[in-house]
Amino acid sequence: MIELPYLDIRTPFPPVSEALNDPNGLLAYGATLDPFRLFEAYSNGIFPWFSDDEPILWWSPNPRAIIELDNFHVSKSLQKLIRQARYTVTLNNAFTDVIAACATIPRCHPHGEEPSSETWITKDMIEAYTQLHIAGIAHSVEVWDEDNTLAGGLYGVAVGGVFCGESMFHKRPNTSKLAMCALVNHMRKNNLGFIDCQLPTEHLSSLGAITLPRDTFISRLQKHNATIDSQGHLLSAYKRCWQSGNLTP
């Protein structure tokens, strides 16, 4: 029988070293999805993942997948798409539209290998990450077609210099990869750290993702964890990095 720590509103997260090996990374359950709790989670290498019929489940898998900015792989098809200049890419211009589109994309559950047809981005998750976006910590990248239609994009949580990717989608070929490429270029220009991909997949590996032991990942996350000041306000340098704008490669 699996025994998990229960988190009430005030309970701190247990150390990630206490996460289960099977299922990989399951750490605790309970608490809420308020912005403070989500920020605390991502700052410590933890993220929520659960279905509508489950309590809030918190995860910190081992190993952890990341993309080093200098190792992002731009395929020939993506290079061609960039040269065609068919799309405009923006930052934080349509967060709610992006997360709604991502909610329709199947994704592997942390303790499963096959994509699920369930909408894992539940209504509660959409509301929670929208509030985190309003707080200035969750961000979206949008890819716009020539007729100003949303063709692809991604969203995630930025903890200091680390972008913790949550989900991406595409309605046109390679547009999610174009969003990722624009994000990588933006992070390079601002001397940021790396992209947390959470779990390794074949698709992410094709983009250059590698895996790190969890303790190495946590150590690197802490080195880039400059997000808020002692009063809990977003640092001005952080806000400058993530203000809305054009990211077109």
Side-chain angles (χ1 to χ4, degrees), residues 33-94:
L33 294 174
D34 65 89
F36 177 81
R37 177 65 82 166
L38 283 173
F39 176 67
E40 180 188 15
Y42 283 94
S43 298
N44 288 281
I46 302 164
F47 58 88
W49 206 338
F50 59 98
S51 301
D52 269 331
D53 59 347
E54 296 177 325
I56 300 174
L57 301 175
W58 301 94
W59 302 80
S60 186
N62 183 30
R64 197 66 168 250
I66 73 165
I67 292 178
E68 304 279 18
L69 302 182
D70 289 339
N71 292 338
F72 177 73
H73 177 66
V74 181
S75 64
K76 291 183 179 179
S77 59
L78 182 54
Q79 291 175 8
K80 181 179 179 180
L81 186 63
I82 293 171
R83 289 195 299 269
Q84 290 174 345
R86 290 176 50 195
Y87 299 102
T88 300
V89 185
T90 57
L91 174 66
N92 287 329
N93 276 21

Side-chain angles (χ1 to χ4, degrees), residues 140 145 195 220 224 233 238 246-247:
S140 60
D145 211 336
I195 296 174
R220 291 191 57 184
H224 291 281
H233 302 129
Y238 177 94
N246 190 312
L247 300 185

Side-chain angles (χ1 to χ4, degrees), residues 32-223:
T32 66
L33 294 174
D34 65 89
F36 177 81
R37 177 65 82 166
L38 283 173
F39 176 67
E40 180 188 15
Y42 283 94
S43 298
N44 288 281
I46 302 164
F47 58 88
W49 206 338
F50 59 98
S51 301
D52 269 331
D53 59 347
E54 296 177 325
I56 300 174
L57 301 175
W58 301 94
W59 302 80
S60 186
N62 183 30
R64 197 66 168 250
I66 73 165
I67 292 178
E68 304 279 18
L69 302 182
D70 289 339
N71 292 338
F72 177 73
H73 177 66
V74 181
S75 64
K76 291 183 179 179
S77 59
L78 182 54
Q79 291 175 8
K80 181 179 179 180
L81 186 63
I82 293 171
R83 289 195 299 269
Q84 290 174 345
R86 290 176 50 195
Y87 299 102
T88 300
V89 185
T90 57
L91 174 66
N92 287 329
N93 276 21
F95 183 89
T96 55
D97 293 332
V98 169
I99 194 171
C102 287
T104 66
I105 305 300
R107 188 179 182 186
C108 290
H109 197 273
H111 58 265
E113 296 181 357
E114 296 298 327
S116 170
S117 60
E118 297 179 357
T119 301
W120 68 271
I121 303 177
T122 65
K123 180 180 178 181
D124 288 344
M125 293 277 273
I126 291 175
E127 181 178 344
Y129 283 90
T130 299
Q131 290 300 314
L132 200 61
H133 172 67
I134 292 171
I137 296 174
H139 309 287
S140 60
V141 177
E142 305 88 16
V143 179
W144 303 95
D145 211 336
E146 295 170 345
D147 61 358
N148 207 34
T149 299
L150 194 60
L154 60 84
Y155 81 96
V157 177
V159 178
V162 177
F163 186 86
C164 305
E166 276 297 310
S167 188
M168 60 176 68
F169 79 98
H170 67 272
K171 295 181 179 179
R172 305 286 188 275
N174 288 320
T175 50
S176 61
K177 293 180 181 179
L178 183 62
M180 181 72 82
C181 183
L183 172 64
V184 168
N185 290 342
H186 175 71
M187 292 180 68
R188 285 173 179 163
K189 290 177 183 177
N190 286 277
N191 297 313
L192 301 182
F194 58 91
I195 296 174
D196 168 26
C197 301
Q198 298 180 350
L199 296 163
T201 67
E202 184 176 346
H203 173 65
L204 291 170
S205 295
S206 73
L207 299 178
I210 61 172
T211 57
L212 297 176
R214 182 173 53 217
D215 56 352
T216 302
F217 168 81
I218 297 296
S219 177
R220 291 191 57 184
L221 175 66
Q222 292 172 345
K223 290 179 180 178

